[in-house]
Amino acid sequence: MHKKLFIPGPVEVRQDVLAQMALPMIGHRSKDASALQHRISDKIKKLFYTDEAILLSTSSGSGLMEGAVRSCTLKRAAVFSIGAFGKRWSEMAESNNVPVDLYEVEWGTATTPELVEKVLSTSQYDLITITHNETSTGLMNPVEEIAAVVKRYPEVVYCLDAVSSMAGTKIEVDKLGVDICITSTQKALGLPPGMAICSFSQKARERAEKVPNRGYYLDLLALYDYIEKKDYQYPSTPSLSHMFALDYQLDRIMEEGLDNRFSRHIEMAEYVRNWARQKFALFADERYLSNTLTTITNTQNIDVAALNKELGVRGYQISNGYGKMKDKTFRIAHMADCTLDEIKDLLSNIDDILK
Ligand SMILES: *Cc1c(COP(=O)(O)O)cnc(C)c1O
């Protein structure tokens, strides 16, 4: 039996979206391929609230995270981490010989604008990375306040990991001054895994032009140049199946309406939070709770694996805690095309199993 996924990626994908992945192939150097890419970029710009260039990568989001830090750091990168995925960005920098310093805070707390100010005021850095929505801890960083600080440092290229939040909550990329905003298909966008998307600002491009040895496959400037010169095509063969599904799903997202979509996510998030506060406790700082997933502290010391096993019999799957928090927390995703009714259904099944 298929288990309906309430894990923070991959998410449940609607049948009509999945069907788009089964469409016949087209040539990746055809006019149709260029038109497909054009349509996707135009819609992604609306979703991202940006006028900057849009790049697609046939990789998961990690590919563009690695490409961004390697392609656009000339001097030194400052990586701000609030959990598992922030830390990964500094490992990517290190393994690409990019000079980097990691600024970590305790899991469950946010990156504060004060910390960003303190770090940037040293004038050591020309690129920073921020996690918008940390999928291990269920925390959404105060990016508006952080943006106000970063804007005072025009030499800094601002990279934002919005992998688990873009399309589930409003992120106004240009207004925030984000140069490279990254997401993946398999989270709040509601598609199968295998493609990543980012915005790529003029400032990021100018920086990349000065960086030698940007790698090959994940060289963001090479991707950009190819799109510009070859009318929206890619240096290597992209996953056209993902592009068919993305084109279709973006239409569905626009039909729902961005504001309606974001409101639906908040409604689901509030329902899960209230349930969690009554039965357990919330892991993350209450001021910065994620709208796309909730990390719940296992105050009842339940056997999360056993709960998930029983949920599986009933056709549902949730997530255990991430890494070191495996049994201390568990996570419920409420993103993409998930509905409040489905969330209510899941939680009443959990209640029923635990009683
Ligand atoms: C899932 C996730 C990633 C990694 O993305 P992939 O598409 O799996 O490479 C990075 N950051 C965050 C916040 C995530 O949730």
Side-chain angles (χ1 to χ4, degrees):
M1 182 180 55
H2 172 66
K3 293 179 203 159
K4 198 180 270 185
L5 298 179
F6 294 88
I7 62 174
V11 298
E12 197 63 23
V13 181
R14 285 172 51 119
Q15 207 59 46
D16 54 331
V17 177
L18 278 177
Q20 297 290 314
M21 300 281 294
L23 291 175
M25 282 304 109
I26 57 174
H28 71 298
R29 298 283 177 240
S30 64
K31 284 213 164 56
D32 286 348
S34 295
L36 176 62
Q37 165 67 33
H38 261 293
R39 288 200 299 278
I40 290 172
S41 283
D42 289 348
K43 287 178 265 190
I44 290 284
K45 284 180 187 178
K46 291 199 182 98
L47 177 66
F48 279 45
Y49 297 86
T50 184
D51 294 323
E52 300 286 3
I54 300 298
L55 307 178
L56 303 182
S57 167
T58 300
S59 65
S60 72
S62 302
L64 285 178
M65 289 168 72
E66 181 162 357
V69 75
R70 176 161 177 173
S71 302
C72 297
T73 310
L74 196 55
K75 217 156 67 175
R76 196 172 189 86
V79 170
F80 293 88
S81 173
I82 57 172
F85 291 102
K87 191 157 184 206
R88 192 185 283 185
W89 224 336
S90 78
E91 290 163 4
M92 289 168 175
E94 263 170 26
S95 55
N96 280 284
N97 280 322
V98 172
V100 62
D101 292 311
L102 174 63
Y103 295 96
E104 271 186 290
V105 295
E106 201 187 323
W107 283 33
T109 67
T111 299
T112 60
E114 291 77 21
L115 176 62
V116 177
E117 171 66 43
K118 195 172 140 215
V119 170
L120 291 186
S121 66
T122 64
S123 302
Q124 284 190 74
Y125 304 100
D126 62 358
L127 180 141
I128 64 162
T129 76
I130 299 278
T131 310
H132 180 249
N133 189 65
E134 179 50 66
T135 314
S136 52
T137 61
L139 188 136
M140 206 171 249
N141 259 326
V143 279
E144 282 84 11
E145 294 162 45
I146 292 169
V149 173
V150 182
K151 278 180 187 161
R152 293 205 298 272
Y153 297 89
E155 73 281 12
V156 171
V157 169
Y158 180 2
C159 304
L160 187 68
D161 171 354
V163 170
S164 62
S165 47
M166 183 58 84
T169 200
K170 192 173 199 171
I171 306 170
E172 294 178 278
V173 170
D174 286 357
K175 205 161 151 189
L176 293 172
V178 173
D179 293 294
I180 306 177
C181 185
I182 300 169
T183 197
S184 304
T185 45
Q186 78 279 13
K187 301 205 178 160
L189 270 166
L191 294 156
M195 192 160 252
I197 304 156
C198 74
S199 61
F200 191 49
S201 74
Q202 173 84 30
K203 180 160 121 190
R205 301 201 285 281
E206 284 163 10
R207 170 62 55 71
E209 281 166 4
K210 299 193 190 105
V211 177
N213 298 320
R214 297 181 301 270
Y216 190 91
Y217 189 70
L218 298 169
D219 174 0
L220 301 196
L221 187 60
L223 284 177
Y224 172 80
D225 281 344
Y226 213 92
I227 292 174
E228 284 294 295
K229 288 177 193 137
K230 305 272 174 162
D231 191 26
Y232 277 77
Q233 292 184 358
Y234 277 88
S236 56
T237 323
S239 173
L240 293 155
S241 304
H242 279 91
M243 290 169 71
F244 294 146
L246 180 57
D247 185 33
Y248 176 88
Q249 174 72 339
L250 286 166
D251 283 340
R252 289 196 59 251
I253 290 173
M254 297 305 165
E255 268 163 38
E256 180 180 14
L258 291 178
D259 288 335
N260 294 337
R261 188 175 179 86
F262 303 147
S263 304
R264 174 168 58 78
H265 279 78
I266 291 170
E267 228 182 348
M268 294 191 293
E270 282 174 350
Y271 195 89
V272 175
R273 289 170 198 162
N274 286 334
W275 175 86
R277 285 187 194 105
Q278 279 168 28
K279 317 266 158 134
F280 295 92
L282 295 172
F283 179 76
D285 184 331
E286 280 271 356
R287 291 170 296 173
Y288 308 117
L289 297 172
S290 163
N291 290 341
T292 55
L293 87 145
T294 299
T295 300
I296 298 155
T297 307
N298 185 6
T299 50
Q300 291 190 37
N301 213 12
I302 59 162
D303 182 340
V304 175
L307 167 64
N308 229 349
K309 198 166 169 206
E310 182 53 33
L311 278 172
V313 174
R314 300 173 182 221
Y316 306 91
Q317 187 182 341
I318 61 167
S319 190
N320 51 21
Y322 193 98
K324 63 184 181 186
M325 304 198 301
K326 188 167 181 286
D327 299 310
K328 295 193 188 104
T329 64
F330 58 98
R331 295 173 297 159
I332 296 175
H334 28 81
M335 58 171 87
D337 293 325
C338 184
T339 65
L340 184 60
D341 283 344
E342 288 172 316
I343 288 291
K344 287 179 178 169
D345 201 29
L346 170 75
L347 296 182
S348 65
N349 272 280
I350 296 179
D351 286 339
D352 190 48
I353 293 166
L354 293 180
K355 91 172 171 244

